Structure formats: C-alpha cells, structure tokens
Amino acid sequence: MLVKTLSAALYGIDAYLVDVEVDLAGYGGDDARFIVVGLPDAAVRESDQRVRGALKNCGYFCSSSITVNLAPADRKKEGSAFDLPMAIGILGAMGVIAGEHLRDALFAGELSLDGTVRPVHGVLPIAARAREAGISRVFVPRANASEAAVVENVNVYAVQSLGHAIDLLTGRAIDAPAKPLPASTPAPDTDSLPDFSDVRGQQSAKRALEVAAAGGHNILMIGPPGSGKTMLAKRLPSILPPMDFDEALQTTKIHSVAGALSEGAGLLATRPFRAPHHTISDAGLVGGGAVPRPGEVSLAHNGVLFLDELPEFPRNVLEVLRQPLEERAVTIARAAMTLSFPASFALVAAMNPCPCGFFNDPTHECRCTPPLIARYMGRISGPLLDRIDIHMDVPAVKYAELRGAEATEKSAQIRERVARARAIQSERFAGLPIHSNGQMNTKQVRHHCKLDAAGEKLLETAIARQGLSARAHDRILKVARTAADLEGSATLGSKHIAEAVHYRSLDRTYWT
C-alpha cells in the first residue's frame, strides 16, 4: 500500500517541500528491507534503524519490506528531520492512521528508539514554507514549537513522541496549537549586557563606537595590550538599537538553520555578537561544507562580528571578508548548487600596532624592528582596510582616569542618541532595502552627502595629503553623514567631515 506524507528540506536559509512516499510490499519477515531513495545522505539512510526501533517500542510491528522515496529525487536530502514523516507514512500504510488525517499536514522531527521526538534544525524556515504553500498544520518537536510558532497563520503542534503524534492525528488527543508570538520583537534584555559605564577613560574610542553603532559602520581599534579594546567591543551591543520584526525574523531563521538556537527559543530579541577565535578557517567564517551552512559572518547578520587580534587571522581567512563587507551577502558555489547567505553585520576588529604591542606607546619601549612592524601590519591588506569605515587609536588608560571617581556615561544614554540617529536614517531610506548610512551605495552617498564649500575644501585636502582611495572617500562621507545625524543636523558641515577624516588617520600612521 502506498501512502504519502509531507515534510521539508533546507536549501540555504530557506526550505522546500518534500513528498515522503511510503510503500509496503508483502511479508518480509526477518528479511524485511527498509530502502530510502531520493538522494539521501548518511543521516537519512540511517533512519531505517531509528524508525523501526521507534515503531516497535511504541507497539507497532511492521513485517513488510518498506520503500521510502523522498521527492523531488534530484535534490540532496540531509538530516534526521524525515524520521517522523517516514514513521507516520508507515503507520498510514499499515492502516493505523487514516489517509484523511494526513491531508494538509507537514511533519518534521527526529525519532529516538523509544519513540521520543527530538529537535531538528531549520524548523522556522520549514514552517514559513508551509505557510507559503497553504498548509495549515505543522507537527514539529516540542523543543522547536516556540521557534515555529513565530510564523503566523499556521497551526503548529508540539509533538512529544510518536504515540503523541498518532493521538493528535486521530483525535484521541486534542492539544491547542502552540501560541504564536505577536508581530513585534520582544524587548532585548539590555540590562544583562556589559555597560559602557564600566569603561574608564577612552572618550574618543567611546565616541567612535557610538558613531559606528549609529550608522552601522565597521571599526578597527589599534592600541597596546590592556588598553581596553576588547572591553569596548563587548559593550557595543548594549548601545545598538533593537531589531525590528523583519530583522529579528531573518536573524532567527539563520540561527535556526545553523542549529544555534537554544532549546525552546522563539524570536531572537538581542542583536547577535559573534567573536570567533583567530584559528577559524575560511569556511567557518563565511560558511561552507558539501551542503553549505552559514558561517560566522551570517550568524552575525544584523549584529556584530568581533575579530580580536586581527593580524593573527590567516591572510586567506581575512581576504574572504571582502565580499560580505562590500555586498552584505555571501555566495557559496558548489558543483550541485549555489547558495547565498545574508551577511549584513558591523565588523569590529582589534589589534596591536606591532608584535610586542608597544609601537608609538609613550610609556613602553617597542622592541620591534621596522621591517618586523611592516610585516606585521602588512597582514592586513589595503583592500580590506579600505572596507573598514573607522580606524581608531586606543592608547593605554592613564592612572588618573583609571582611578577617577567621576561617573561615566551609561549605555542607556548612548543608546538613546543612537536610536534617534537610526530613526532619521529609517525615514531617509524608507522603501529601500537598507537601514543605515553604512549600507549606502555610491549613488546614495552622492545624493545624501552633499557638502558646503568649506567641507569640499577640507575633504579634498585630506584625500590629497593621505592618498586615500575612492572607496575611502565614500566611507568618509558615510561616517560624516552619521555624525551629522547624531547631532540632528540635516546638512554636512566641515566639523562632520573633520571628524570622519580623523577616523582615517591611522592609514597614514601605520600603513605608510
């Protein structure tokens, strides 16, 4: 007997529907076979043992040979999410579940040998695809129910075990669908984040980070060991504006596909902060694999990617950052597929000015020779440096500032100014696929960053003296536009250009 159930498989950060066709053929006895076709990977091929064990331990013994086809058969299927739809299809073919109970229903979940339904990756895009296809019922593991319930207009049923799924389908159990979240993001828990009030001194660096947060700009901090670069970077999320619903939904989808959501999590409220170690590979950073998965740059989408000790990262790893920094997406090509993952993040990088860390430090003697310093700084290529909007010197904190009793500004106060600047940008870019000044293209820069005569003269002089590239020119204007937004000014003045140019001074100090 042939029975069809419906499931879904992942393709990038989206999902596509998969027909799970189950056919029982005669009496197989001890030689009964379980064959899965349709380009299954190893995890799918191993489902025969999990499904048979779950059925037997739930009191259902199938003595027939079983053939399962996963259609479309020309796409690779991977993961354990097909266990539950296979088991439901077998029970339908055995007559345990009537065919009408399987209509308009989609299943996803991994089975334990005792019949428990275990969580799987990518439930959020699977539920979203079900809604697009007009499927009203989605049966997912209990641990994934909150995640799937983010999608509205779909009845999501939290399944605890195979027996529980049978009871839900046959009407022996009547559970209410998982409650969908409201069409707005939950408030982020900013009180639990590290606060800028903990940082003593470093007023210039704090201002630079405020500008970076307000405009979504990339920033590089250079300073000696112990000057507070990492401390400052870890406090950047505390001044970022909250995500809107669309941003939170897309960020949650990426984390769902990557399996990075905690159990029972729903919509992500806090912007992600990713800080990979410098031993990471290029595939780990931008994504990859036989069937590509999101990397750190995509997991940092709509948030912050922090690269500490930037020159310690392998050169090939740093160079793959060029595309996501420029296009805010990562394209991964394989023989069988080409996938694109979103990667719109703010890059925060920190580094020492030389191998010993004390080049240009007035209180410590640098032991590095000029060729050694040149090789160290040369690990950061010019094209990559050009893609970083703000370069900030972070000197060692003086003792008087470190021990001073003067109260420092809290993150909440900075976040209010950042939120006002972002509101101006939201109005400016209404109807466009960008949200901040840092995302502007060249045409938008020319339209929104017009200068007066004094600003034109100052910018011309700075570019001529520092030998900046055309890309650096555009980034200066973007940063100046953000500085003006923080001030609430509709026009760009020479002081805004001066501040933006100041943030490019390290080009001349360290790389020439």
Side-chain angles (χ1 to χ4, degrees):
M1 181 177 180
L2 175 65
V3 170
K4 294 183 181 180
T5 58
L6 196 60
S7 188
L10 298 176
Y11 187 79
I13 63 168
D14 297 311
Y16 63 93
L17 298 181
V18 174
D19 289 321
V20 182
E21 302 172 345
V22 179
D23 182 51
L24 302 187
Y27 177 77
D30 295 336
D31 296 327
R33 296 178 302 166
F34 194 121
I35 301 173
V36 182
V37 297
L39 285 184
D41 73 345
V44 180
R45 286 194 299 269
E46 291 173 352
S47 61
D48 61 341
Q49 302 299 322
R50 294 192 298 271
V51 172
R52 279 195 183 277
L55 288 170
K56 184 179 72 173
N57 290 310
C58 289
Y60 302 98
F61 179 73
C62 181
S63 59
S64 302
S65 292
I66 302 169
T67 302
V68 177
N69 178 43
L70 304 177
D74 60 344
R75 285 191 176 185
K76 183 85 171 174
K77 317 299 187 308
E78 63 169 359
S80 55
F82 298 108
D83 290 3
L84 182 60
M86 285 183 191
I88 295 296
I90 293 170
L91 291 170
M94 293 170 60
V96 176
I97 303 174
E100 60 266 21
H101 296 315
L102 303 179
R103 296 192 189 100
D104 196 32
L106 184 146
F107 305 89
E110 176 186 330
L111 288 175
S112 297
L113 294 181
D114 64 355
T116 302
V117 181
R118 298 170 58 85
V120 293
H121 299 171
V123 166
L124 177 55
I126 288 173
R129 183 66 187 92
R131 180 185 63 181
E132 293 171 6
I135 299 166
S136 63
R137 296 184 299 159
V138 176
F139 295 81
V140 298
R142 185 180 295 276
N144 295 127
S146 298
E147 175 188 339
V150 170
V151 180
E152 297 180 322
N153 302 321
V154 172
N155 293 321
V156 175
Y157 293 94
V159 179
Q160 187 171 358
S161 65
L162 180 58
H164 184 215
I166 296 170
D167 291 342
L168 287 172
L169 288 167
T170 58
R172 290 198 294 266
I174 303 176
D175 292 0
K179 187 177 180 181
L181 297 177
S184 61
T185 55
D189 184 16
T190 53
D191 293 337
S192 65
L193 298 174
D195 199 277
F196 266 95
S197 61
D198 303 330
V199 182
R200 298 292 177 177
Q202 304 295 12
Q203 296 306 317
S204 296
K206 289 180 182 178
R207 168 64 181 180
L209 285 169
E210 179 180 340
V211 173
H217 301 291
N218 306 316
I219 181 170
L220 170 64
M221 295 181 288
I222 305 180
S227 59
K229 303 184 294 296
T230 302
M231 187 178 188
L232 286 161
K234 289 183 176 179
R235 279 152 181 77
L236 182 59
S238 69
I239 64 173
L240 291 173
M243 292 188 287
D244 60 31
F245 181 73
D246 290 337
E247 288 178 317
L249 186 63
Q250 191 172 41
T251 303
T252 306
K253 183 186 289 188
I254 296 169
H255 284 244
S256 172
V257 169
L261 287 180
S262 57
E263 186 172 318
L267 204 64
L268 289 178
T270 305
R271 291 183 182 272
F273 180 87
R274 307 293 298 187
H277 192 260
H278 58 74
T279 56
I280 192 172
S281 66
D282 51 359
L285 188 63
V286 300
V291 177
R293 284 282 183 263
E296 289 292 329
V297 297
S298 295
L299 291 171
H301 182 62
N302 292 321
V304 175
L305 177 68
F306 176 46
L307 301 183
D308 202 2
E309 303 297 342
L310 188 65
E312 301 301 327
F313 285 80
R315 180 69 175 258
N316 66 300
V317 172
L318 293 180
E319 292 307 302
V320 298
L321 281 173
R322 291 195 198 179
Q323 184 198 21
L325 286 174
E326 194 71 26
E327 300 178 9
R328 301 193 176 272
V330 173
T331 301
I332 302 173
R334 293 291 182 267
M337 66 184 71
T338 299
L339 297 178
S340 183
F341 297 113
S344 180
F345 57 89
L347 173 66
V348 180
M351 61 180 289
N352 296 331
C354 66
C356 77
F358 297 111
F359 177 64
N360 275 353
D361 191 309
T363 60
H364 294 82
E365 181 181 358
C366 176
R367 302 186 301 273
C368 305
T369 63
L372 189 61
I373 295 174
R375 282 197 301 271
Y376 182 77
M377 303 305 287
R379 296 178 187 177
I380 315 300
S381 69
L384 176 61
L385 195 65
D386 263 353
R387 288 169 169 81
I388 300 178
D389 306 349
I390 299 173
H391 307 158
M392 192 66 216
D393 201 0
V394 184
V397 182
K398 297 178 181 179
Y399 180 81
E401 294 176 327
L402 191 62
R403 297 296 297 167
E406 183 179 353
T408 58
E409 196 172 30
K410 292 183 176 294
S411 292
Q413 298 169 277
I414 304 174
R415 189 169 59 249
E416 288 179 4
R417 296 196 296 270
V418 169
R420 287 197 294 269
R422 284 290 184 109
I424 293 172
Q425 294 165 52
S426 296
E427 184 177 348
R428 175 181 300 136
F429 304 125
L432 297 175
I434 61 174
H435 306 281
S436 63
N437 292 332
Q439 299 174 343
M440 286 192 290
N441 58 32
T442 300
K443 182 178 179 180
Q444 291 160 346
V445 167
R446 293 188 178 278
H447 179 71
H448 295 293
C449 303
K450 291 180 169 52
L451 303 177
D452 56 18
E456 287 281 5
K457 183 65 177 176
L458 180 59
L459 183 58
E460 180 184 2
T461 303
I463 289 179
R465 287 183 177 177
Q466 297 188 27
L468 300 177
S469 67
R471 185 180 286 115
H473 161 272
D474 286 357
R475 295 191 181 279
I476 287 174
L477 291 176
K478 293 178 186 181
V479 173
R481 179 69 269 168
T482 300
D485 290 342
L486 282 167
E487 195 179 80
S489 173
T491 58
L492 290 184
S494 57
K495 62 179 179 180
H496 305 130
I497 294 295
E499 181 177 5
V501 168
H502 169 68
Y503 294 142
R504 305 295 304 194
S505 61
L506 298 183
D507 288 25
R508 180 182 56 193
T509 305
Y510 293 104
W511 275 274
T512 58

